[in-house]
């Protein structure tokens, strides 16, 4: 029987706007190894996508443009340095199409917060442009392109809960019976630059002033399978936390306030300065969020469940 070649299949694409929702991520376990010759650190991490979303809309256009509204509007460059533009161009280059689109970003995920907001937007751009241009990439194809944009971008193409290795770009899903976890996200005023936090960890380790490295993700994965928030609370950990606290000592007050408010555990999210707290259930999460806001230790505290899907057309 005659079968069409891959190249002969028409690229249809979308005529109307394509809207993509993408979540923020936290790391339930962030084990950081020594710096590699390329400057990156070898990671063993467990990523977790939470229900705090950005939205990217892609429309047909004659050039590639990006506009934005919401959190961080006016602070973020919208030129070729923006991860959204870089992701769209990378997809165009890989698929041989013209990088023409009008992209509009509605942001809720705070910038430089340790929640991978920029990486999320890049993942959204890959999914949105793939649909707009009809380039027919699989998730795995998009994740491979995503790895060129940043270490966290492949995870945000998949979402859920996943193991990350290498510099974080090698992602494999964590298979577990569905469980919803309840988080409180305490957003700080001002961000922390990820490279500065990794550099601070290297400095602390050279001085033997950092806590012992977390190592393997085994305990965290076993805790996830037990589906008991008190067990998961005992297994959360982040090697970057000591470095974030060293650069931003006030974060200790945030962590203390969350635990005092009844959180089962609190950790710095990624490179910070956002702190995330595990709550027993939804109503506990609401109480902890209110208590954190009343304590005045953060700009904003919001609740978010996880895991949720990665970047997807809605
Ligand atoms: O991959 P991405 O561009 O998002 O990384 C931003 C920065 O974070 C890197 O330039 C590096 O300083 C640091 N990083 C690291 N090790 C990793 C991931 C990121 O040192 N595994």
């Amino acid at each position: 029987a005659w079968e069409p070649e891959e190249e002969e299949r028409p690229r249809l694409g979308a005529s109307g706007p394509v809207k993509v929702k993408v979540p923020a991520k936290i790391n339930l376990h962030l084990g950081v190894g020594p710096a590699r010759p390329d400057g990156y650190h070898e990671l063993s991490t467990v990523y977790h996508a939470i229900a705090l979303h950005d939205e990217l809309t892609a429309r047909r256009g004659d050039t590639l443009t990006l506009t934005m509204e919401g959190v961080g509007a006016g602070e973020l460059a919208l030129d070729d340095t923006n991860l959204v533009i870089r992701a769209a161009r990378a997809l165009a280059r890989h698929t041989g199409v013209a990088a023409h689109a009008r992209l509009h970003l509605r942001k809720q995920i705070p910038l430089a917060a340790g929640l991978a907001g920029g990486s999320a937007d890049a993942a959204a751009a890959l999914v949105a442009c793939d649909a707009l241009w009809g380039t027919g990439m699989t998730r795995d194809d998009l994740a491979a392109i995503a790895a060129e944009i940043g270490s966290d971008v492949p995870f945000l193409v998949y979402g859920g809960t996943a193991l990350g290795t290498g510099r974080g770009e090698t992602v494999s899903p964590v298979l577990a019976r569905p469980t919803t976890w309840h988080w409180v996200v305490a957003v700080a005023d001002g961000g922390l630059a990820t490279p500065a936090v990794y550099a601070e960890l290297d400095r602390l380790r050279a001085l033997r002033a950092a806590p012992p490295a977390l190592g393997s993700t085994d305990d965290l994965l076993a805790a996830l399978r037990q589906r008991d928030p008190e067990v998961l609370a005992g297994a959360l950990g982040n090697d970057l936390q000591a470095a974030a606290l060293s650069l931003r000592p006030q974060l200790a007050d945030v962590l203390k306030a969350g635990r005092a408010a009844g959180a089962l555990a609190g950790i710095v999210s990624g490179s910070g300065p956002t702190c995330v707290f595990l709550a027993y259930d939804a109503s506990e999460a609401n109480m902890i969020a209110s208590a954190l806001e009343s304590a005045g230790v953060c700009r904003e505290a919001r609740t978010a469940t996880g895991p949720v899907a990665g970047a997807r057309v809605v």
Side-chain angles (χ1 to χ4, degrees):
W2 179 84
E3 286 194 10
E5 296 274 315
E6 188 73 36
E7 299 87 317
E8 287 177 291
R9 226 181 277 150
R11 282 173 167 168
L12 289 173
S15 47
V18 176
K19 192 193 278 187
V20 169
K21 248 175 101 170
V22 67
K25 69 91 186 132
I26 62 177
N27 302 78
L28 306 181
H29 172 110
L30 180 47
V32 180
R36 313 192 305 200
D38 66 2
Y40 286 93
H41 295 71
E42 197 66 24
L43 302 186
S44 60
T45 189
V46 177
Y47 290 114
H48 184 71
I50 59 169
L52 167 62
H53 290 96
D54 282 353
E55 207 176 82
L56 184 79
T57 305
R59 294 182 172 81
R60 297 204 162 268
D62 301 325
T63 57
L64 182 61
T65 59
L66 173 62
T67 52
M68 76 171 282
E69 65 182 293
V71 172
E75 293 169 50
L76 202 59
L78 300 175
D79 58 11
D80 279 3
T81 61
N82 191 290
L83 292 184
V84 167
I85 298 288
R86 287 180 46 202
R89 287 203 194 286
L91 177 65
R93 195 168 57 241
H94 278 274
T95 55
V97 304
H100 291 172
R102 287 185 293 140
L103 305 174
H104 182 72
L105 181 60
R106 286 182 59 184
K107 269 198 87 59
Q108 277 197 283
I109 307 173
L111 310 182
L115 295 168
S119 302
D121 301 338
L126 293 174
V127 171
C129 290
D130 178 52
L132 185 74
W133 297 336
T135 39
M137 298 279 105
T138 64
R139 288 276 140 174
D140 291 349
D141 294 335
L142 292 179
I145 301 171
E148 297 173 14
I149 312 299
S151 308
D152 293 338
V153 185
F155 168 68
L156 290 149
V157 167
Y158 297 109
T161 303
L163 202 60
T165 54
R167 53 178 237 275
E169 88 285 16
T170 305
V171 175
S172 59
V174 170
L175 301 173
R177 281 188 297 157
T179 310
T180 295
W181 304 100
H182 298 273
W183 304 97
V184 179
V185 180
V187 179
D189 273 319
L192 277 176
T194 303
V197 180
Y198 276 99
E200 179 66 5
L201 178 62
D202 292 340
R203 192 186 71 85
L204 292 174
R205 283 180 171 173
L207 296 171
R208 311 219 176 280
L214 288 174
S216 131
T217 54
D218 292 354
D219 289 351
L220 191 279
L221 296 175
L224 274 175
R225 282 192 292 270
Q226 293 191 53
R227 307 168 84 218
D228 176 344
E230 307 213 20
V231 174
L232 182 61
L236 299 174
N238 179 1
D239 278 339
L240 288 179
Q241 179 160 314
L245 283 166
S246 169
L247 296 175
R248 192 72 73 82
Q250 311 90 288
L251 293 180
D253 300 332
V254 187
L255 293 172
K256 209 187 287 171
R259 291 197 198 101
L264 301 175
I267 51 168
V268 169
S269 175
S271 53
T274 303
C275 294
V276 290
F277 298 92
L278 181 60
Y280 191 78
D281 58 20
S283 83
E284 284 284 322
N286 285 325
M287 276 171 40
I288 295 161
S290 310
L292 283 167
E293 288 199 339
S294 318
V297 291
C298 56
R299 188 176 79 203
E300 180 196 12
R302 46 195 303 167
T303 60
T305 56
V308 297
R312 69 186 200 284
V313 176
V314 290

